[in-house]
Amino acid sequence: MNPLELVRAQPGPGFTVTLDGRDIEALPGQTVAAALWTAGVTSWRSTRGAGRPRGVFCGIGVCFDCLVTVNDRPNQRACLVPVRPGDTIRTQEGTGHDD
Amino acid sequence: MTDRPHLAVIGAGPAGLAASLAAAARGIRVTLIDSGSAAGGQFYRGPAPGLGARRPQALHHQWHTWDRLARGLAGHVRAGRIEHLTDHHVWCVERQSGRFAVHALLGPEQERPATVHAEAVLLATGGYEKVLPFPGWTLPGVVTAGGAQAMLKGSLVVPGRTAVVAGTGPLLLPVATGLAAAGVDVAALVESADPNAFWRATRDPNPLPPRTRDPKAFLRRTRALAAQPGKVAEGAQYAAQLVRHRVKVMARHTLVEAHGEARLEAVTIAALDSDGRARPGTERRIACDTLAVGHGMLPHTDLAESLGCRIDGLNVHVDEEQRTDVPGVWAAGETTGIGGSALSLAEGHIAGRSVAARLAGAEPDPREWAAVAKSRTRMREFFAALDTVYAPPAHWTEQVTDDTVVCRCEEVTGGEIRRAVGELGAGDVRTVKLLTRAGMGWCQGRMCEPAVAGLAGCAQTSARRLLARPVPLGVLAAAGEDPDEPRGPDDPEGD
Ligand SMILES: Cc1cc2nc3c(=O)[nH]c(=O)nc-3n(C[C@H](O)[C@H](O)[C@H](O)COP(=O)(O)OP(=O)(O)OC[C@H]3O[C@@H](n4cnc5c(N)ncnc54)[C@H](O)[C@@H]3O)c2cc1C
Ligand code: FES
């Protein structure tokens, strides 16, 4: 059983986005964070100080741990931003303004 | 339509929905504003429509109540009595000579501004989870219990295959059963409290839990527990599901450490002694790729604070009618104190009725909502009792090693905070913040505040954050220039 089966989901057609240039599949309605989790990715930024990996923590937009660069805009909260066909997602280093 | 009195409700969870329906049904024009893309808040969060869930209730409790609320909302929206603004993040509510301006930023990127003007405001912004730090809690794969639930309910995703659910509080139960139902192997539910104390308390008033010293208070609590058969049944349901999914429940155990390099690989837990300390020699390592952890909830009070509402401890202060002490401002649900969805519904319902009467220039008659008020009282007592049962281990700070990151945003460690307190004499959260930068990052201390207060040995007080959301400087400057602006392109008042 997976969550999609549990609720008998019939998602709309999936689409492709890229994470650091690599193709990943996403479903309509998912957030960027959800698409990354589905692809088995749980960290997508490294911290400013110690360069430690981070991903989702609070899941509701409060903690800012899940920051990511989406379509060249850094510091987007992956747990809030819906994923859209063709999105270019990049892991984010430090403040996100270096690249 | 526009000459009706106008109420702005912020938050479309159980409290905000109940209030909107009650007010709209009594002739009030309501604008319901929420940052989410759909109504429901945390409890009724549903899968995104694009995912085409045909049986969303499989992840929910009390689906019938939600169904009723959702239908009610749709009816009022169709009739033009309620306008529901989704994806609106409110960053400030401003008083403007007897009226209110609710300033929001649109969309997930939160850049375009919009303002709603109303005669009355209801704050129904709910709460967020409290997590106390321990070594390894910043590793990817460690998520808040509510966060795991939110990702599961909203996006139908789970972060891994094997999970440990840990911490303290009633929220751990739906999270563990939800993950298990969604196919995650839940290796253990680790609860630092002794939930048996809760069940014992409902039957046997004699044994006092260690932290309760006042026998009279305890007897009152016992009666409150016994008066909640619905809640007891709910607990029994969760227990049955845990058994069915073979989830091992370990009460009076605590997290000691999360292990891993790039992501979580295992956790170490330990039994607690009667003083609330991890008992040496009882450590046990459990392999897992997911840790869902939570230590209770905290109310969102930023908007109330910026309006100057009185805050009692951590909760927005309200009277019997759910009015704050600022005229024209009501509050309901978890922003006034943590107490679950049923209490939020009751408070919202009372608030909506009170607003309807007051905006019509009448004195409300509390007898009209006497039954709801009675269950509100019972539920508040019930949650006060729960609070004494579900408390983090008394000596949790001993798990915070000097190199444990405490402030996740600014990467301030336990050692730095202890130095600020010990060597530099900081005695409150504000001074620790100034000396260490703990709480100065993106989340503005929402995540680390309880921990910093605990390490500094002082009580957590409400934080007085000026803005509820980070605001682009341009928006802030424009708002400062003319309080009636900014009126964004999607200004709902432009009708
Ligand atoms: C992540 C999470 C998951 C939870 N899951 C469960 C669960 O599965 N089962 C359970 O029994 N309890 C759960 N809870 C507990 C839950 O908080 C309550 O049971 C209940 O939802 C409280 O109702 P409420 O109306 O007070 O607030 P909420 O349901 O929290 O609703 C508040 C609403 O206000 C909105 N909001 C807040 N601030 C702003 C702002 N500045 N601008 C615009 N909108 C804003 C939020 O988006 C939200 O929709 C969860 C809590 C959290 C934090
Ligand atoms: S996970 Fe906390 S803000 Fe996204």
Side-chain angles (χ1 to χ4, degrees), chain A residues 2-95:
Chain A
N2 72 34
L4 291 157
E5 287 168 27
L6 179 68
V7 300
R8 299 212 202 109
Q10 286 185 328
F15 50 83
T16 309
V17 300
T18 61
L19 171 66
D20 294 332
R22 146 171 100 90
D23 281 357
I24 63 169
E25 293 304 313
L27 293 176
Q30 284 186 327
T31 58
V32 167
L36 295 177
W37 271 15
T38 308
V41 182
T42 48
S43 74
W44 45 81
R45 89 171 168 106
S46 55
T47 59
R48 210 149 35 107
R52 302 296 299 158
R54 295 280 175 88
V56 164
F57 183 58
C58 74
I60 58 166
V62 180
C63 75
F64 292 80
D65 251 338
C66 65
L67 297 179
V68 71
T69 300
V70 183
N71 301 329
D72 294 325
R73 293 159 52 95
N75 295 318
Q76 301 300 300
R77 276 170 283 176
C79 69
L80 296 184
V81 176
V83 66
R84 296 193 181 94
D87 275 349
T88 318
I89 304 162
R90 277 188 294 129
T91 51
Q92 183 172 311
E93 314 253 320
T95 59

Side-chain angles (χ1 to χ4, degrees), chain B residues 79-140:
Chain B
R81 287 184 291 263
I82 298 183
E83 184 175 14
H84 179 197
L85 303 176
T86 57
D87 292 309
H88 279 60
H89 298 250
V90 177
W91 58 273
C92 173
V93 184
E94 212 185 341
R95 255 195 289 187
Q96 292 175 352
S97 52
R99 295 186 87 220
F100 296 91
V102 179
H103 298 293
L105 295 165
L106 300 190
E109 287 93 3
Q110 296 174 42
E111 281 180 350
R112 275 185 311 140
T115 301
V116 174
H117 297 271
E119 282 94 62
V121 173
L122 173 80
L123 306 171
T125 47
Y128 58 100
E129 225 169 347
K130 169 165 107 180
V131 184
L132 297 170
F134 50 88
W137 76 310
T138 55
L139 279 170

Side-chain angles (χ1 to χ4, degrees), chain B residues 7 10 15-16 19 121-125 300-301 304 309-310 315-326 328-337 344 347-348 350-352 355 376 380:
Chain B
L7 165 72
I10 305 164
V121 173
L122 173 80
L123 306 171
T125 47
H300 271 301
T301 53
C309 300
R310 174 173 148 203
N315 308 330
V316 178
H317 170 87
V318 286
D319 66 7
E320 283 295 304
E321 287 178 36
Q322 300 292 137
R323 286 181 301 176
T324 71
D325 66 343
V326 173
V329 181
W330 279 254
E334 295 202 313
T335 186
T336 72
S344 298
E347 293 193 354
I350 293 171
V355 169
R376 178 181 62 182
R380 282 183 183 159

Side-chain angles (χ1 to χ4, degrees), chain B residues 59-268:
Chain B
L59 281 170
H60 278 263
H61 286 86
Q62 282 139 41
W63 185 259
H64 293 299
T65 312
W66 163 240
D67 211 37
R68 200 161 39 83
L69 291 168
R71 280 169 207 268
L73 176 64
H76 285 302
V77 167
R78 265 197 311 275
R81 287 184 291 263
I82 298 183
E83 184 175 14
H84 179 197
L85 303 176
T86 57
D87 292 309
H88 279 60
H89 298 250
V90 177
W91 58 273
C92 173
V93 184
E94 212 185 341
R95 255 195 289 187
Q96 292 175 352
S97 52
R99 295 186 87 220
F100 296 91
V102 179
H103 298 293
L105 295 165
L106 300 190
E109 287 93 3
Q110 296 174 42
E111 281 180 350
R112 275 185 311 140
T115 301
V116 174
H117 297 271
E119 282 94 62
V121 173
L122 173 80
L123 306 171
T125 47
Y128 58 100
E129 225 169 347
K130 169 165 107 180
V131 184
L132 297 170
F134 50 88
W137 76 310
T138 55
L139 279 170
V142 180
V143 294
T144 66
Q149 185 81 334
M151 295 281 290
L152 176 58
K153 281 179 166 179
S155 278
L156 304 176
V157 288
V158 290
R161 288 166 194 277
T162 308
V164 168
V165 178
T168 189
L171 184 56
L172 302 186
L173 293 168
V175 173
T177 54
L179 288 172
V184 176
D185 174 17
V186 179
L189 195 173
V190 180
E191 166 61 65
S192 64
D194 179 0
N196 286 329
F198 171 77
W199 302 113
R200 274 201 301 274
T202 59
R203 281 181 237 120
D204 178 5
N206 294 321
L208 287 180
R211 266 181 292 276
T212 314
R213 295 219 181 73
D214 171 9
K216 268 203 196 125
F218 183 71
L219 279 173
R220 264 202 312 279
R221 289 193 183 112
T222 304
R223 274 199 296 276
L225 290 172
Q228 291 291 329
K231 285 284 159 191
V232 173
E234 197 177 302
Q237 261 175 28
Y238 287 128
Q241 285 176 40
L242 292 173
V243 170
R244 196 169 68 234
H245 292 294
R246 298 200 173 77
V247 176
K248 190 189 297 172
V249 179
M250 306 177 76
R252 295 208 55 76
H253 277 66
T254 192
L255 281 166
V256 177
E257 186 169 356
H259 311 274
E261 266 311 307
R263 69 158 297 167
L264 179 73
E265 288 158 18
V267 295
T268 294

